[in-house]
Amino acid sequence: MDISKEELDKIVQKAQDAFLISKKFSIQKRVSFMRAVADEIEALGPELIQTAQQESNLPEARLTGEKGRTIFQWRSYADAVERGDSLDASIDTANAERTPPKPDLRKTSVPLGPVVVFGASNFPFAFSTAGGDTASAIGAGCPVIVKAHEGHPVTSGIMADAISRAAEKSGMPEGTFAHVYSSTYETGQQLVSHPLVKAVGFTGSYLGGKALVDLANQREEPIPVYAEMGSVNPLFLLPGKLSSVPQELAKQYAGSLTLGVGQFCTNPGLVVGIAGEELNQFIEALKEEIVKIAPGVMLNKKIATGYAESREKVIGQSGVEVLAVSETEAKEGQGVPTVATVAGVELLANPALLHEVFGPFALIVQCKDASEMLAVTEKLEGQLTVSLFATNEDVASQEEIVSLLQTKCGRILFNNYPTGVEVSKSMHHGGPFPSASNSAFTSVGADSIKRFVRPLSFQNWPDEFLPEELQNANPLNIWRTVNNEKTKEAIS
């Protein structure tokens, strides 16, 4: 069902009206709303999981876990809002004796305004209608308009209804949350271009995210688009580690590569090692694992077709050799596990080999030596993750590679696989462009709330008219920086 421009205008105007009302609310009211959303989602019966299974082809166990993750996101973000984490409240009290006199300055973070969120295909709960972008924008105090993902419209509707019920029960104004269905790009473009919209959250492809970024920058008032756009998430195998457990690494890697039919934005699709007997042992063991893994049904026909096309494009490049393919023939809509290899020198001459293949596909880059591995590292674009498999001695001996890898990603793992994104304050899910549109922010963890706020300083204001977090008595009992010291104490 598509929607007219006039209907969109009304939805955005209601969001703006809600913003002007709710910005006066106490933070505790916002917290109560977020916890009510978590309760509503938790109370959803088997219909939610069954519907999501039908629409996304994801298994029951995966969806059950993702539902729990989504509930946890709402509750943990609510806790962070209650603690004042995203407010970053600071106070520098006046000093009339100084020359010139020092004013009373107090700074907090305030919501931007209406936010548009685009639902993601691969996580129908945790990164879609009721996902992290929506939860963090609500946590910031922003009304949210979600454009439902066409891959799971009924699932999205169930989640949208849960949020709407929570909003009504919590006494939030009409327009605090809206859910839009549309199969056209024009609807998304109109939402991003609307002058009352102040920010955008997006999880998806590079082409989709970059188009939204460009559109937002062309507005009369440019707005931030926080786009998480995926990456190849390279995995580096250093010689010391590789020589000790090549078969074990291959088995673990095969599991990470094919988890969820490779449909994670952190899927490790590129392996970089130094050619030799140790890497050959890894490759032979990996080949044995891959042929045994059956193709899996992908999220939808469009994604399956995209995987097949991207896979064939890489396989067809000069110097690329297919090493192993699942021995089970893929049916329509399935993604076939595949491993290919290429020499480091060929990859350095062909940037197309560094593009993401969204699915269970791996390209193993065989470098002739550490110098060529460094050159491959330099060639990498920004990534969400980089995984380093190494001994301590490897790290010490390849300091230049290790240091350079840290400039290429938002999360660097040591002897660990990236297909698992913990929801916590210390998680950074983002990275240098083109993995994300702004490397300074995360889309996972309570710090994601900071995307949708801006600083506001109050100078010499009467205490009674200040936001609660800046008042002398500290009625919210939050941590504040007062005259350069962290404290919960009131100001006397």
Side-chain angles (χ1 to χ4, degrees):
M1 181 178 73
D2 290 329
I3 188 168
S4 69
K5 184 178 183 302
E6 290 72 26
E7 289 174 305
L8 283 180
D9 286 340
K10 290 179 181 177
I11 289 171
V12 178
Q13 184 60 58
K14 283 185 178 179
Q16 175 66 9
D17 294 343
F19 171 63
L20 295 176
I21 295 170
S22 62
K23 68 190 293 289
K24 302 173 186 176
F25 290 168
S26 69
I27 284 176
Q28 192 55 53
K29 188 174 181 68
R30 191 190 313 164
V31 169
S32 297
F33 170 39
M34 297 176 73
R35 288 174 176 157
V37 173
D39 291 344
E40 289 291 334
I41 295 173
E42 189 170 47
L44 292 172
E47 179 193 4
L48 174 68
I49 303 295
Q50 292 166 1
T51 302
Q53 279 185 274
Q54 293 167 3
E55 290 190 314
S56 69
N57 298 315
L58 293 172
E60 180 181 357
R62 152 72 191 274
L63 290 167
T64 300
E66 189 183 331
K67 178 185 176 184
R69 175 195 177 102
T70 306
I71 294 165
F72 177 76
Q73 283 179 160
W74 282 92
R75 287 180 175 152
S76 62
Y77 293 7
D79 292 345
V81 172
E82 190 171 48
R83 290 193 303 267
D85 290 1
S86 59
L87 297 174
D88 199 20
S90 62
I91 299 172
D92 289 285
T93 55
N95 181 356
E97 304 302 317
R98 196 190 73 173
T99 303
K102 177 187 174 187
D104 183 275
L105 280 168
R106 308 188 180 209
K107 185 172 72 172
T108 186
S109 298
V110 296
L112 294 177
V115 170
V116 169
V117 169
F118 289 81
S121 62
N122 57 339
F123 284 87
F125 304 155
F127 282 89
S128 202
T129 295
D133 284 345
T134 300
S136 55
I138 293 291
C142 299
V144 173
I145 303 162
V146 173
K147 183 179 183 293
H149 194 279
E150 60 187 29
H152 40 75
V154 181
T155 303
S156 297
I158 294 172
M159 286 298 212
D161 288 345
I163 298 173
S164 296
R165 285 194 300 272
E168 185 176 354
K169 290 177 180 178
S170 304
M172 300 301 290
E174 183 183 7
T176 296
F177 174 80
H179 199 231
V180 174
Y181 297 94
S182 176
S183 58
T184 67
Y185 292 120
E186 287 76 15
T187 299
Q189 292 169 348
Q190 289 168 8
L191 284 169
V192 174
S193 300
H194 200 289
L196 293 178
V197 169
K198 298 302 180 185
V200 176
F202 172 87
T203 300
S205 69
Y206 169 76
L207 290 177
K210 183 62 164 56
L212 295 180
V213 171
D214 291 344
L215 184 62
N217 285 333
Q218 291 164 10
R219 291 172 35 135
E220 184 175 348
E221 177 201 354
I223 60 172
V225 174
Y226 296 108
E228 186 263 278
M229 299 179 285
S231 62
V232 294
N233 304 294
L235 186 150
F236 279 70
L237 298 174
L238 296 192
K241 184 69 176 181
L242 187 57
S243 64
S244 62
V245 285
Q247 289 82 8
E248 181 182 334
L249 289 176
K251 185 177 181 66
Q252 293 170 349
Y253 175 68
S256 180
L257 176 70
T258 59
L259 183 69
V261 203
Q263 297 169 114
F264 293 101
C265 52
T266 54
N267 196 54
L270 191 74
V271 177
V272 184
I274 296 175
E277 182 56 32
E278 292 85 1
L279 186 58
N280 287 341
Q281 289 180 31
F282 171 85
I283 288 172
E284 289 304 313
L286 181 59
K287 287 162 63 175
E288 292 178 12
E289 295 295 330
I290 290 297
V291 296
K292 294 185 293 186
I293 300 174
V297 180
M298 302 196 80
L299 290 159
N300 53 57
K301 183 178 179 181
K302 181 179 178 181
I303 287 176
T305 300
Y307 170 64
E309 291 175 350
S310 298
R311 173 181 174 273
E312 291 305 313
K313 184 176 180 180
V314 173
I315 289 173
Q317 298 293 310
S318 173
V320 175
E321 174 191 354
V322 176
L323 294 174
V325 178
S326 171
E327 61 187 8
T328 305
E329 186 176 350
K331 298 176 182 178
E332 184 178 0
Q334 291 186 329
V336 58
T338 305
V339 174
T341 188
V342 69
V345 65
E346 294 280 1
L347 180 121
L348 291 171
N350 188 355
L353 295 176
L354 290 169
H355 294 168
E356 180 184 25
V357 177
F358 190 68
F361 177 87
L363 182 64
I364 300 176
V365 183
Q366 300 196 48
C367 302
K368 65 180 181 181
D369 52 27
S371 177
E372 191 167 88
M373 180 180 274
L374 178 62
V376 169
T377 303
E378 291 171 340
K379 196 78 171 179
L380 289 175
E381 296 182 312
Q383 307 289 328
L384 293 173
T385 73
V386 168
S387 300
L388 183 68
F389 282 79
T391 63
N392 289 359
E393 291 74 20
D394 284 327
V395 174
S397 65
Q398 300 298 335
E399 184 179 342
E400 192 172 1
I401 289 176
V402 174
S403 178
L404 186 57
L405 285 175
Q406 294 175 32
T407 72
K408 299 287 185 176
C409 63
R411 176 166 55 115
I412 186 163
L413 299 93
F414 187 69
N415 293 335
N416 240 228
Y417 294 91
T419 39
V421 183
E422 184 71 23
V423 181
S424 72
K425 184 172 176 58
S426 298
M427 172 58 66
H428 187 82
H429 191 59
F433 186 87
S435 66
S437 57
N438 190 323
S439 63
F441 293 92
T442 180
S443 63
V444 174
D447 273 359
S448 62
I449 296 171
K450 295 177 181 179
R451 296 175 296 172
F452 304 114
V453 297
R454 64 177 180 85
L456 178 62
S457 287
F458 292 79
Q459 183 167 329
N460 285 354
W461 271 72
D463 187 71
E464 63 188 292
F465 296 118
L466 285 168
E468 287 184 307
E469 63 266 25
L470 298 181
Q471 290 175 6
N472 287 338
N474 191 15
L476 298 179
N477 192 34
I478 63 171
W479 286 101
R480 308 185 296 184
T481 302
V482 179
N483 295 326
N484 299 317
E485 291 186 6
K486 284 283 188 183
T487 179
K488 282 189 175 183
E489 294 297 319
I491 298 171
S492 56

